[in-house]
Amino acid sequence: MRIRRAIDRISHRGAEVAAIGTAGVGLFALGTWVFGQWRFSTFGPEYVPMAPSTAVLFVLLGLAMGACHRWPEVRSVRIIAVASAITTMVVSALVAAQSWSYFPLPWDGWLTYPDLRTGAIPLGRMSPLTAAAFLLSAGSLLVRAPGRPVTRLLRWSAAIAAATALLVGLVIALGYASGTPLFYGGHAVPMALLPAIAVVALNLGLLLSAGAVSCLLDWFSLGLDSAVSETQLRFVSRLLTILAGLVV
């Protein structure tokens, strides 16, 4: 029980730090555009910066997640969180649709201009991959934001969505760290480094806030006398194999 309380306390504090970090990254990137210093957020002359629209959505989601985690019973907080999640999903869906059949969006030229490019890649636009990660993250937040009891299926769906987005951000960030960022060389907008870091922080916070660590401890019966089943051992083995493959 003492270990469980310590883990819950660490998870609670970790979710708060993740929320602040997500909003902070978004504010930093937005500030670089406002002051015309967007190159500071690229971390390399050949890389793309975080789009202004992406930065705004990270600020919204980071603050919404932090407020929901801090004041889960406050109705106004839940309403703001739901509105932030729905806004993010609408914007991300439009960006994803734009990647299939191009049409201008109202925020495409915000704080930027059409001729601003890195190679053939237009700058200041949200990456379709970032939009997909936003859809998963916002969906996960939307499940827990209303504050009402949800089914076990919805809880697991929200956790899987957050974990999937986290893995996407982690893979992109590792690509930048290794000097081989993904999806460069074409006309599509790749996910920048800062959005990848913010995606990892946001979804890690969502998982910690939802008590994912405690759920895993319950599922694996850690700290208890019951034996771990063969199914659980197979799951751990496959998970470690996937993680090792991602790192390599």
Side-chain angles (χ1 to χ4, degrees):
M1 292 299 293
R2 192 174 300 173
I3 295 176
R4 172 60 58 83
R5 285 196 297 269
I7 290 175
D8 289 342
R9 187 165 55 251
I10 293 171
S11 296
H12 179 82
R13 196 57 61 90
E16 292 179 343
V17 172
I20 294 171
T22 301
V25 169
L27 283 173
F28 169 77
L30 187 59
T32 62
W33 283 101
V34 169
F35 294 105
Q37 302 297 326
W38 55 267
R39 290 178 181 83
F40 283 134
S41 66
T42 61
F43 299 99
E46 69 277 15
Y47 297 153
V48 298
M50 181 190 293
S53 57
T54 303
V56 170
L57 294 183
F58 274 126
V59 173
L60 280 178
L61 291 181
L63 293 178
M65 178 183 70
C68 269
H69 182 71
R70 187 79 172 179
W71 303 287
E73 303 302 326
V74 179
R75 186 170 180 268
S76 58
V77 168
R78 297 200 301 267
I79 291 174
I80 293 172
V82 169
S84 299
I86 292 176
T87 299
T88 300
M89 295 180 80
V90 171
V91 171
S92 301
L94 289 173
V95 171
Q98 185 189 50
S99 67
W100 290 98
S101 177
Y102 179 78
F103 53 89
L105 293 172
W107 52 82
D108 279 345
W110 185 45
L111 299 178
T112 182
Y113 49 91
D115 295 332
L116 192 60
R117 293 176 177 269
T118 292
I121 302 172
L123 302 183
R125 293 184 183 174
M126 186 187 301
S127 166
L129 186 59
T130 304
F134 270 140
L135 286 171
L136 293 170
S137 306
S140 179
L141 177 62
L142 194 60
V143 168
R144 66 179 305 271
R148 66 177 185 276
V150 296
T151 64
R152 185 177 181 182
L153 177 60
L154 275 177
R155 286 199 305 272
W156 274 103
S157 298
I160 290 171
T164 302
L166 188 152
L167 285 175
V168 169
L170 184 60
V171 169
I172 297 298
L174 288 174
Y176 279 100
S178 64
T180 55
L182 301 177
F183 307 117
Y184 279 82
H187 294 275
V189 181
M191 184 186 288
L193 175 58
L194 277 183
I197 294 172
V199 164
V200 171
L202 173 63
N203 289 280
L204 181 60
L206 287 170
L207 290 172
L208 291 174
S209 180
V213 176
S214 296
C215 289
L216 286 175
L217 288 177
D218 289 337
W219 196 73
F220 288 115
S221 301
L222 294 180
L224 302 178
D225 293 332
S226 56
V228 178
S229 69
E230 184 179 349
T231 302
Q232 293 166 334
L233 288 174
R234 285 201 304 269
F235 175 81
V236 173
S237 176
R238 291 172 182 173
L239 180 62
L240 290 176
T241 301
I242 293 172
L243 292 176
L246 288 174
V247 173
V248 172

